[in-house]
Amino acid sequence: MVWHQLFPRVSMRSLHCSFLSNMQTGSPPTTSFAAGFVSAFTLPNLKPVFILRNVFYAVILSMITLQALIIELASMKWSLSFSGFCRNFARLFFGKLPVDNVRDQILAHGYDFDEHKVQTSDGFVLGVFRLKTKASHNKQTSQGGTASRREVVLMQHGLLNTCLPFVQNGKGLAPAFILADQGFDVWLGNNRCNKHSRKHVKLDPSDDEFWNWAIDDLAIDVEAMVNFICNKTGNSQLTYIGHSQGAAQGLEAFSTNEKLCAKIKLFVCLSPGAFVKPLTNPWLKRCAKLHVNNPSLFFSIFGRGCFAPPMEWGRKLVPHYLWSFLGQCMFLELFDWSTALWDKCSEPLYFQETPSCISVRNVAQWLQQSESGRFCFYDFGAEENMKRYGTEYPPDYPLQNVTCPTAVFHGGKDLLIDFQRLIKMLPNVVLDKQHPQYYHLDNMCAPSAVETVFPEIIRLIKTTSPVA
């Protein structure tokens, strides 16, 4: 039986156009084809700029990944064993990851969770997970099913990520599980527009306005999650743990919102993404220079919607292990990181939900900060800045207002951030701990963090007095 006999009214061309139209929204191919049988009949004319933009994305990403892959392969110690080569080839192209997402990962290690939907003040609906252990389940009260008062911890992920890294190393090694086993009430946050938070009360991912946000706006996500969790648990304060951008958006939120800062008993910054140093990778340097020198051309090339949507649906098409390996190669090359301290058995899990969707403006603000060396609000240009801020240049975040007790963990080999500059500007640093051998992700991903990072965090949570 041939295609036209099965679907006589649907042409291959119309379905192909339906697939291409989803590139601009970041929708994966599976979603595109599932909706194709309906949308093919009413599909509006595609704008060539969308097709060209996504072709450009795909070409550039392929070039970066190929370059990174060659460097990674050249550095490997290759075995001449033919059987070993065949095993690695089969694993990369046909292997499946032991778990498919954060939900499976939580359940696979003997934990349970509640998933909550948190609405922000600007209408985004965030997916937030609350871990449940057997001990915490036994402490449930009869009033509304809420847990008895425990120390509450909110963990917030970094750029291009989801909450998965907090559970990916498994029981006894993953940060979220370590804290849950200590009896803490652990919540895992997700920023707007990633795979767990791809909803809005009015907007659709196909709308440009859905993606019209930058790092500044992620402070709104922090406020919504902190307020929701405090209301749900009945606790007046909680511990906030942020990695990289997750810490940066905490700094933004707590420095500009005094009432919110008062709800933070302890602020733990893991490799906080503030005061980005000049980028060293040639690809990133070119993007940063382009945005600073010609922002109109930058947005003409990259658009104002989802950043690099081919990465999102590419993750659905490429075999799991191969995608994880390619993603690892690309990120390590772009940011000059190393995974030497990671658990090699768990390594394929690290990039299964990475990269996650973000906005072009989110990326643009990071590029602005890397070029200016400042930790400041979004730069709209002199004319718009005057309207919004009353100054020609965007103001710095008032870090002197982050009065909650703050602990900073960073790596000696992390060349992405100027940590000492940040630490000097924070008024209430209770711990500044550097691990000489750690890169940007190691405070969260390296198994050795069980001994070097999280005992200190547990001690601080237990001994830090509530903020008056």
Side-chain angles (χ1 to χ4, degrees), residues 115-118 125-129 163 188-191 194 196-198 225:
E115 186 171 357
H116 298 271
K117 298 301 180 182
V118 178
V125 181
L126 313 178
V128 179
F129 297 92
C163 64
L188 306 176
N190 285 285
N191 282 331
N194 78 16
H196 303 294
S197 304
R198 190 75 66 85
M225 289 186 284

Side-chain angles (χ1 to χ4, degrees), residues 380-399:
F380 291 90
E383 183 177 350
E384 185 64 23
N385 287 341
M386 288 297 298
K387 295 178 182 178
R388 291 175 179 263
Y389 310 126
T391 56
E392 184 177 349
Y393 297 98
D396 294 330
Y397 290 111
L399 295 179

Side-chain angles (χ1 to χ4, degrees), residues 138-160:
N138 293 335
K139 292 180 181 179
Q140 294 288 314
T141 66
S142 59
Q143 297 181 350
T146 57
S148 59
R149 296 288 177 84
R150 296 178 289 150
E151 290 282 357
V152 178
V153 178
L154 169 60
M155 309 186 79
Q156 189 59 32
H157 63 81
L159 181 70
L160 291 166

